[in-house]
């Protein structure tokens, strides 16, 4: 296993990179899934999609999935951290965050929220709250209020479904 930075070089201690696996025990691709294989397998190595850091001694610490991070202003930001901040607003019972393309930031925050009570002024109140409690680049550029978030059988939010909507 290697943790590699975006330029393909090994990540420096403390730098977030992607875990890449290689060796005789790694398959050459996904069974009958050429498109997925092309995305995940490059140069004979499996790009796992898991993000991690490495310490000075070479120990690897997983910090999350690549798809659950935003790349905003050149830095990776965990969607989970933004979601936790959004949920500090008493009007919200659930929140999910995904990245949307932004010319200036790279990716901007799009929030899907489930509110305790829905009314016409909700989004305005949420935006006012977030402006007081979040740095400008993490304030959701887009907000969708849903009755419920799409979830898997195990209760995990299906962000892929949110991105497709």
């Amino acid at each position: 296993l290697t943790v590699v930075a975006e330029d393909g070089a090994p990540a420096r201690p403390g730098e977030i990179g992607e875990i890449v696996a290689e060796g005789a025990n790694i398959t050459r691709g996904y069974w009958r899934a050429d498109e997925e294989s092309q995305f995940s397998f490059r140069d004979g190595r499996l790009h796992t999609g898991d993000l991690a850091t490495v310490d000075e001694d070479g120990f690897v610490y997983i910090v999350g999935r690549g798809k659950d991070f935003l790349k905003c202003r050149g830095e990776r930001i965990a969607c989970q951290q933004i979601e936790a901040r959004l949920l500090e607003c008493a009007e919200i019972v659930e929140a999910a965050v995904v990245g949307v393309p932004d010319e200036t930031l790279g990716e901007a925050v799009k929030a899907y929220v489930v509110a305790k009570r829905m009314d016409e002024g909700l989004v305005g109140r949420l935006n006012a709250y977030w402006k007081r409690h979040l740095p400008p680049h993490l304030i959701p550029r887009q907000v969708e209020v849903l009755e419920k978030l799409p979830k898997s059988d195990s209760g995990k939010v299906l962000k892929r479904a949110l991105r497709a909507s």
Side-chain angles (χ1 to χ4, degrees):
L1 294 179
T2 308
V3 178
V4 297
E6 287 188 38
D7 63 3
R12 296 181 307 277
E15 180 181 19
I16 295 175
E18 182 180 16
I19 297 176
V20 176
E22 62 183 311
N25 61 331
I26 303 297
T27 183
R28 293 186 179 151
Y30 295 118
W31 177 255
R32 296 184 178 166
D34 294 336
E35 188 174 313
E36 289 179 39
S37 293
Q38 288 176 350
F39 177 76
S40 297
F41 294 86
R42 297 185 296 278
D43 300 324
R45 304 184 321 164
L46 170 62
H47 290 254
T48 67
D50 293 314
L51 298 178
T53 62
V54 180
D55 68 13
E56 297 286 342
D57 296 319
F59 289 98
V60 175
Y61 298 89
I62 297 174
V63 297
R65 292 284 300 159
K67 291 181 180 174
D68 208 27
F69 278 73
L70 300 179
K71 185 146 188 200
C72 184
R73 295 189 334 183
E75 61 185 88
R76 291 187 192 268
I77 300 166
C79 291
Q80 187 176 19
Q81 289 178 310
I82 301 168
E83 291 160 357
R85 295 299 305 268
L86 299 182
L87 287 168
E88 290 173 1
C89 177
E91 295 198 59
I92 302 299
V93 292
E94 287 187 293
V97 166
V98 299
V100 292
D102 183 272
E103 286 186 27
T104 305
L105 298 174
E107 279 188 298
V109 175
K110 179 172 184 178
Y112 295 88
V113 299
V114 177
K116 287 182 181 174
R117 187 176 52 100
M118 293 172 51
D119 62 54
E120 278 190 38
L122 176 66
V123 173
R125 290 191 310 276
L126 293 176
N127 283 325
Y129 178 88
W130 295 331
K131 284 180 183 176
R132 291 190 312 271
H133 294 91
L134 289 168
H137 66 287
L138 297 185
I139 296 169
R141 293 281 172 93
Q142 299 173 25
V143 179
E144 277 193 45
V145 181
L146 304 174
E147 289 185 23
K148 63 181 182 175
L149 296 176
K151 295 183 181 170
S152 68
D153 292 339
S154 63
K156 186 174 181 179
V157 174
L158 296 172
K159 290 196 176 182
R160 179 178 34 203
L162 292 174
R163 284 185 193 93
S165 66

